[in-house]
Amino acid sequence: MAVFMDLNVSFLPDRSDLRSVVETAAHHVYFVNLRVTSFLQEIPTPTPINELIDQLPVVQGRSRPIRVLNRLTVVMSDASHFRPNAPEYRRFDLLAVQPTSEKLFHAACMVYDIDIICVPMTEKLPFFFKRAPINGAIDRGVVFEVSYSAAIRDSTMRRYTIANAVSLMESCKGKVALFLQCFLYQRLDFLALLFGLSDGDAKEAVSSTCRAALLHAETRRTASGIIYTTRSQQEAPRGSADGRFKTGFLYRC
Amino acid sequence: MVRLKSRYLLCEVNVSDRSQLLLLDDRAIMVAVKAAVARTHGDYGAAMCSIRFCVKYLNAHTGIVFLRFPKRCYKLLWSALPFITSIETRGQKIPCFLNCLHVGVKLRVCTKAQYKGNTNYLQPKTNKQLKKHEV
């Protein structure tokens, strides 16, 4: 089973608060992801973690310190908010999108080059989940994020969270493509049972799927081209190399 | 292929005073069921109830009501129905209880069960049968 990770810790401008959050996280999880939600027009550059915290806390019993990654969440109310292939996105380890309409949700599932789709849980969704875009997203490796932090405080939020999460589970038929976001650092696989997942799916939802999202993000950032060579059918003339090779270069900008 | 699976409950509303039945409407029953589910099963029940629950059909003359629940949680929500003691409508509180007669997979099956009019359960309430009794 993959390790536990928390992929959604909000960025706190106060350094001491941030340090205390990361220290708490270090005792329970292995990866922490600092989330930047931008309401501005321009995309902020992520501050390197060593500027924010001098030394990452090392917990006794583990040889390596906690890994802190950077994540950007784009709240989209219009298609122009997310510019595909923008160079600013390369500086972030994880890229997430929060669509607010059905068209944007469909586009995010099928087309956009992202890792995580955040589904708002705290309000009645303006759109219904359809099988086609969700299956398309799962095939591409995009995961869905269920945030339950609002459900802790308020009973109405709890109802909306559970209702929305259950509808999402029904649409993706329990094919696990989601992970839970929390800041309480507990084992949350039992909570996923409440959302309609089976035992195995629930466990995967909090561990393996997070890891899958991280790996998907790595490939998104690093894989930009493939060179392939194939042996062509022509016979080589004397004095030249053994066979003629045809090369091609597939690239993605 | 039935994808979004639901269960239809054929229920009968029993009141002591039959004239009060005519005051019922589907919103009142919906509110009463949701309140009972929230009381009995808390936030989880209320959330499951809000997904695809609705009152499909209500006959105020006979007190027959069809409720639709999602398949995955219909037993949970069904278990909250005995806790309904009254329905509030038009400023009045009508003391009643809900009696579930039949559970169907499709609405059509429930409608057939209603038309069969099992006389062990249903007292003669339809207009035809009332007229028969008058005569």
Side-chain angles (χ1 to χ4, degrees):
Chain A
M1 199 184 77
V3 298
F4 292 114
M5 28 190 106
D6 184 358
L7 288 174
N8 199 339
V9 175
S10 294
F11 180 73
L12 300 165
D14 188 7
R15 288 197 181 187
S16 52
D17 285 347
L18 195 65
R19 193 186 161 80
S20 60
V21 165
V22 172
E23 273 177 9
T24 323
H27 282 87
H28 295 91
V29 303
Y30 285 96
F31 293 97
V32 158
N33 214 325
L34 284 180
R35 165 184 173 153
V36 175
T37 312
S38 175
F39 295 106
L40 315 166
Q41 292 297 89
E42 70 275 5
I43 296 164
T45 41
T47 334
I49 191 63
N50 33 22
E51 282 182 28
L52 292 170
I53 300 177
D54 302 326
Q55 196 191 9
L56 286 173
V58 180
V59 180
Q60 193 177 24
R62 291 178 194 164
S63 53
R64 285 178 294 181
I66 190 173
R67 257 183 73 185
V68 181
L69 309 168
N70 291 308
R71 165 181 156 171
L72 177 70
T73 305
V74 182
V75 180
M76 283 169 55
S77 47
D78 189 58
S80 62
H81 290 171
F82 179 78
R83 289 189 308 279
N85 307 322
E88 296 94 20
Y89 296 153
R90 289 200 175 269
R91 291 185 223 119
F92 290 94
D93 299 305
L94 278 178
L95 203 52
V97 142
Q98 187 172 331
T100 47
S101 75
E102 175 146 15
K103 242 181 159 177
L104 293 172
F105 181 74
H106 187 92
C109 286
M110 308 292 270
V111 172
Y112 289 161
D113 196 13
I114 48 174
D115 310 310
I116 302 167
I117 296 179
C118 305
V119 183
M121 291 282 144
T122 52
E123 60 209 5
K124 223 155 169 49
L125 281 177
F127 54 89
F128 288 109
F129 294 116
K130 297 230 174 84
R131 287 268 164 95
I134 289 184
N135 285 341
I138 293 174
D139 290 336
R140 287 202 309 146
V142 178
V143 298
F144 295 94
E145 180 187 31
V146 171
S147 154
Y148 90 105
S149 51
I152 298 169
R153 297 177 206 112
D154 191 28
S155 133
T156 321
M157 294 296 127
R158 214 173 299 150
R159 291 181 194 187
Y160 281 139
T161 306
I162 296 178
N164 290 337
V166 169
S167 332
L168 177 62
M169 288 320 126
E170 279 185 358
S171 312
C172 64
K173 267 198 284 194
K175 248 182 296 187
V176 177
L178 72 91
F179 63 90
L180 298 176
Q181 170 262 320
C182 75
F183 55 86
L184 284 187
Y185 309 124
Q186 296 167 7
R187 292 243 350 215
L188 289 175
D189 37 3
F190 58 88
L191 186 67
L193 296 176
L194 205 63
F195 296 153
L197 292 173
S198 66
D199 290 335
D201 289 345
K203 221 172 187 184
E204 269 186 54
V206 286
S207 52
S208 319
T209 317
C210 304
R211 189 166 155 72
L214 279 181
L215 292 173
H216 183 262
E218 274 186 37
T219 53
R220 180 182 57 82
R221 288 178 68 212
T222 56
S224 35
I226 301 172
I227 300 176
Y228 68 91
T229 57
T230 53
R231 203 183 188 112
S232 75
Q233 299 301 322
Q234 296 167 16
E235 221 178 283
R238 281 197 184 189
S240 70
D242 277 347
R244 286 191 181 267
F245 288 92
K246 192 169 67 176
T247 60
F249 180 48
L250 294 173
Y251 69 95
R252 184 186 65 182
C253 48
Chain B
M1 183 182 75
V2 180
R3 270 205 292 183
L4 284 179
K5 307 199 173 181
S6 309
R7 289 288 181 265
Y8 295 90
L9 259 67
L10 168 64
C11 297
E12 185 198 0
V13 181
N14 287 83
V15 290
S16 43
D17 185 11
R18 292 206 57 79
S19 57
Q20 285 181 321
L21 260 185
L22 295 168
L23 296 170
L24 285 178
D25 65 340
D26 50 353
R27 289 220 71 164
I29 294 195
M30 204 157 167
V31 164
V33 171
K34 280 194 172 169
V37 167
R39 246 188 351 255
T40 321
H41 297 295
D43 292 323
Y44 177 69
M48 300 307 259
C49 202
S50 68
I51 297 175
R52 249 189 343 271
F53 163 64
C54 71
V55 175
K56 273 300 204 182
Y57 167 84
L58 168 67
N59 189 333
H61 294 282
T62 57
I64 295 291
V65 60
F66 287 166
L67 301 172
R68 179 182 73 177
F69 293 129
K71 179 193 162 190
R72 61 164 63 234
C73 58
Y74 80 99
K75 283 187 182 167
L76 184 81
L77 303 175
W78 186 3
S79 65
L81 294 184
F83 294 97
I84 298 177
T85 52
S86 64
I87 295 179
E88 192 163 328
T89 169
R90 294 181 205 179
Q92 283 189 40
K93 242 186 173 179
I94 307 172
C96 62
F97 68 91
L98 249 64
N99 187 20
C100 178
L101 304 173
H102 182 79
V103 179
V105 174
K106 285 189 181 166
L107 193 58
R108 211 171 4 139
V109 177
C110 267
T111 323
K112 276 189 191 165
Q114 183 200 12
Y115 287 150
K116 265 189 190 165
N118 191 335
T119 47
N120 286 338
Y121 295 113
L122 293 173
Q123 299 159 27
K125 289 167 196 150
T126 56
N127 286 336
K128 249 191 201 172
Q129 285 162 318
L130 276 169
K131 280 188 187 155
K132 236 199 246 176
H133 275 255
E134 281 170 24
V135 166

